[in-house]
Amino acid sequence: MELPELSLQTILLYFAGGLGIFLFGLFYLIEVLQKQAGYRLRHILDRVTDHPLKGILAGMLLTIAIQSSSGTTVITVGLVSAGLLSFRQAIAVVLGANIGTTMTAFLIGIDLGEYSLGLIAIGTIALILNKKNVIGTWGKVAFSIGALFYGLELMGNSLEPVATFGRFTFFLENGMNQTFFGVVIGAVFTAILQSSSATIGILQEAYAARIVNIENALPILLGDNVGTTITAVLASIGASLKAKRVALFHVWFNIFGTCLFLLLFPVYLHVVSLAADVWNLNARMTIAFAHGIFNVTNVLLHIPFIGLIVYTVEKVFGKLEENKKTLEMDTLFIEQSPSIALGQAKNECVRMGSLSLQSLQTAREYFDTNSPKLADSVARMEEQINELDKKISDYLFMCSTVPLSLNESEKHSYLLESIRDFERIGDHVENIIELIDETQNSRLGLTPAAKEELENMFTQAIANVQNALYAFDFHDKQKARLVLEGEDKLDLMERKYRKGHIIRMNRGECNGQAGIVFVDMLNNLERIGDHSANIAEGVLQSKHL
């Protein structure tokens, strides 16, 4: 689309409009891809092993999938903070993300400007016809790519006349020739937009319009890589020390690479220019190639030193013991990746369930020994359970305020139901402690038969909670079925023991008050089995946990 002769004011308006459409298309594309890949993100990174190449591959593929290295890095910072990734694994993921981010520049290098309006039209029609299924998703992708390229075309066409303005030409010749000045421009602009893909796309258009030459463009490109570190730094504020290590490495990686390429700038310039001539690359693809050379070379230089980097950073920050079960929920993920946010909420639910199980086991020990310390321990655990209940509920409410996929909505509902069951198990354990106290304070003696029957109920109830917690944590349907079988046994035991109690009462073997306590304890243990069964049924009914 050729623009007529325009004033500087009109050209700036065209550029601003094109920039807005381009940024909208780029960020909308990232949002759509992140949402579609969201429920896979945590599973991809959870499978990262200590082998650097696998971590690099995971980071690269994840970044290509969501079209945002900043998004991958922020997610990695959060997972390290939550204890789901080690620092060593995170380094490999960050290295891979820096390779994956070059794909956006190569995508922009493919000139689809003439098809942009057609893509917007196709995407709009698909969205109108069906917003929620696969057609709607592809419609969003088509619309965002079309908007991205249409914005680029507007910017490119508006920039072409700018290079002929005398004042601007003077600025280019006297200001942009300063390499350091170009690095600063790239870093500041990227820090403001918090997207190197966006600023590199703008640079590609500026170079294509001959606003800048290759000597000016490459320092700006290097500055873009420095500016992109701001996102990881912001994500690490208030996070754990382990997360700050990842942010530090991300900063180091880009600053080291930038300094190295500035020192070797003549070589860098020669390689890029030679590649453009030999392969007949267009202006946009030349910048994409330069971006790829920087990141791939930088990654290759760091791979042999991953172990040394881990050692050095841990020495600088102090050695921390990596604890995979030290968990916390990070609100950063609610917008960035709801799937990982729900994964962190699930991990907190597991911690809550573990406390419920531990309190039940402690209650049984208290029943056997009457040690006051054990009753105090159960009381403290109950406080923790109630605190986690509120914390997880509030976090899940925040998760419900953002768009969730069908799988994420299913998981969200199941987590809400499960925390209620884990909390109620804790409440029933608290009731059991009070009933045990009543037998001691009132000196109500339970018969040996009654004590043996309660021991049997404790054994089965504990087994049910253990299996339910395992099924919940690992989505193990076999364990879930064992819980339902155990619930049937618990129901049979409760009815059998209740009848046996009536027989003992008729024989005069136990008094009425002790009998009430016995029946109440049976009832609470049976209700614990019911809540375990609720959790197990959720596992059997849910497909994506």
Side-chain angles (χ1 to χ4, degrees), residues 52-53 56 95 99 298-307 309:
L53 294 181
I56 291 170
L95 291 177
I99 296 178
N298 206 6
V299 168
L300 292 176
L301 289 174
H302 278 81
I303 289 176
F305 302 103
I306 288 179
I309 292 168

Side-chain angles (χ1 to χ4, degrees), residues 17 50 78 109 174 250 256 277 411 429 465 491 523:
D50 288 333
N174 293 276
H250 187 50
F256 170 82
D277 292 337
K411 185 171 185 177
V429 172
V465 176
D491 288 342
N523 182 59

Side-chain angles (χ1 to χ4, degrees), residues 197-479:
S197 296
T199 52
I200 291 170
I202 296 169
L203 179 62
Q204 286 173 291
E205 289 304 311
Y207 180 53
R210 290 178 292 182
I211 294 293
V212 293
N213 56 35
I214 193 65
E215 291 88 350
N216 303 146
L218 293 184
I220 297 174
L221 180 65
L222 295 176
D224 291 338
N225 287 283
V226 174
T228 194
T229 61
I230 188 66
T231 309
V233 172
L234 292 174
S236 69
I237 294 175
S240 68
L241 186 56
K242 293 179 289 183
K244 287 182 173 64
R245 291 175 181 172
V246 179
L248 173 66
F249 172 73
H250 187 50
V251 172
W252 157 261
F253 174 86
N254 286 283
I255 290 180
F256 170 82
T258 298
C259 291
L260 178 64
F261 274 69
L262 285 175
L263 288 173
L264 302 175
F265 189 77
V267 177
Y268 183 37
L269 177 62
H270 177 71
V271 170
V272 173
S273 301
L274 182 63
D277 292 337
V278 172
W279 293 325
N280 195 27
L281 302 177
N282 63 36
R284 298 181 185 88
M285 196 61 78
T286 299
I287 298 298
F289 175 79
H291 186 42
I293 283 290
F294 171 85
N295 282 288
V296 172
T297 303
N298 206 6
V299 168
L300 292 176
L301 289 174
H302 278 81
I303 289 176
F305 302 103
I306 288 179
L308 179 61
I309 292 168
V310 172
Y311 175 81
T312 303
V313 173
E314 286 181 345
K315 280 292 183 182
V316 171
F317 276 87
K319 176 68 177 174
L320 288 181
E321 181 181 356
E322 299 288 352
N323 182 359
K324 194 155 179 130
K325 294 302 180 183
T326 302
L327 306 170
E328 59 182 65
M329 293 176 289
D330 194 336
T331 55
L332 173 72
F333 287 134
I334 294 176
E335 287 286 348
Q336 187 74 33
S337 177
S339 175
I340 293 182
L342 293 174
Q344 288 196 316
K346 179 184 175 182
N347 287 326
E348 290 289 70
C349 289
V350 171
R351 187 152 68 121
M352 182 179 178
S354 298
L355 285 169
S356 298
L357 172 61
Q358 189 178 349
S359 67
L360 178 58
Q361 293 169 327
T362 305
R364 178 182 188 167
E365 190 176 350
Y366 182 55
F367 177 70
D368 294 334
T369 64
N370 295 325
S371 172
K373 291 182 179 179
L374 296 174
D376 293 339
S377 178
V378 170
R380 287 193 298 271
M381 282 187 276
E382 176 61 16
E383 289 178 1
Q384 289 179 274
I385 291 169
N386 291 336
E387 182 180 347
L388 280 171
D389 178 30
K390 184 179 185 306
K391 177 183 175 184
I392 300 169
S393 297
D394 290 345
Y395 189 74
L396 289 175
F397 173 76
M398 287 189 284
C399 290
S400 68
T401 62
V402 301
L404 300 175
S405 67
L406 183 62
N407 296 334
E408 290 165 350
S409 295
E410 178 186 0
K411 185 171 185 177
H412 180 270
S413 299
Y414 178 59
L415 291 177
L416 280 173
E417 294 168 3
S418 297
I419 60 173
R420 299 289 174 265
D421 286 309
F422 284 130
E423 195 275 333
R424 289 299 296 149
I425 289 173
D427 289 344
H428 286 299
V429 172
E430 190 176 31
N431 293 341
I432 290 171
I433 293 294
E434 292 174 357
L435 291 169
I436 296 172
D437 287 340
E438 186 175 344
T439 62
Q440 293 176 357
N441 296 335
S442 303
R443 296 183 180 180
L444 301 174
L446 295 175
T447 63
K451 288 182 178 180
E452 182 181 353
E453 289 167 353
L454 286 173
E455 288 284 359
N456 293 337
M457 289 286 288
F458 267 117
T459 300
Q460 188 61 57
I462 289 172
N464 284 9
V465 176
Q466 283 177 326
N467 288 331
L469 182 59
Y470 188 92
F472 174 83
D473 193 6
F474 299 102
H475 197 219
D476 190 320
K477 295 193 175 186
Q478 184 176 355
K479 288 287 186 181

Side-chain angles (χ1 to χ4, degrees), residues 65-280:
I66 67 175
Q67 287 294 295
S68 173
S69 63
S70 294
T72 302
T73 304
V74 167
I75 290 168
T76 304
V77 168
L79 291 178
V80 171
S81 179
L84 299 174
L85 283 180
S86 70
F87 177 50
R88 187 184 186 91
Q89 290 172 321
I91 285 179
V93 174
V94 171
L95 291 177
N98 280 278
I99 296 178
T101 191
T102 62
M103 293 301 106
T104 308
F106 282 108
L107 174 65
I108 293 173
I110 302 171
D111 188 6
L112 296 179
E114 59 182 299
Y115 307 109
S116 59
L117 291 177
L119 287 170
I120 292 173
I122 292 171
T124 302
I125 293 170
L127 283 170
I128 292 173
L129 292 177
N130 201 318
K131 295 181 179 180
K132 295 184 178 180
N133 68 1
V134 176
I135 295 175
T137 299
W138 282 109
K140 292 176 183 177
V141 171
F143 179 88
S144 58
I145 292 176
L148 186 154
F149 280 101
Y150 184 63
L152 282 172
E153 187 178 19
L154 279 179
M155 282 194 296
N157 289 329
S158 67
L159 285 173
E160 287 177 2
V162 175
T164 63
F165 290 169
R167 290 181 181 178
F168 194 79
T169 304
F170 177 81
F171 169 75
L172 289 179
E173 292 175 351
N174 293 276
M176 292 296 287
N177 284 334
Q178 300 296 323
T179 303
F180 179 75
F181 183 62
V183 173
V184 172
I185 287 179
V188 171
F189 198 15
T190 304
I192 293 172
L193 291 180
Q194 292 192 35
S195 172
S196 61
S197 296
T199 52
I200 291 170
I202 296 169
L203 179 62
Q204 286 173 291
E205 289 304 311
Y207 180 53
R210 290 178 292 182
I211 294 293
V212 293
N213 56 35
I214 193 65
E215 291 88 350
N216 303 146
L218 293 184
I220 297 174
L221 180 65
L222 295 176
D224 291 338
N225 287 283
V226 174
T228 194
T229 61
I230 188 66
T231 309
V233 172
L234 292 174
S236 69
I237 294 175
S240 68
L241 186 56
K242 293 179 289 183
K244 287 182 173 64
R245 291 175 181 172
V246 179
L248 173 66
F249 172 73
H250 187 50
V251 172
W252 157 261
F253 174 86
N254 286 283
I255 290 180
F256 170 82
T258 298
C259 291
L260 178 64
F261 274 69
L262 285 175
L263 288 173
L264 302 175
F265 189 77
V267 177
Y268 183 37
L269 177 62
H270 177 71
V271 170
V272 173
S273 301
L274 182 63
D277 292 337
V278 172
W279 293 325
N280 195 27

Side-chain angles (χ1 to χ4, degrees), residues 44-63:
I44 291 172
L45 294 182
D46 269 349
R47 290 184 174 89
V48 174
T49 67
D50 288 333
H51 198 289
L53 294 181
K54 291 184 178 180
I56 291 170
L57 181 62
M60 182 179 70
L61 294 178
L62 181 57
T63 303

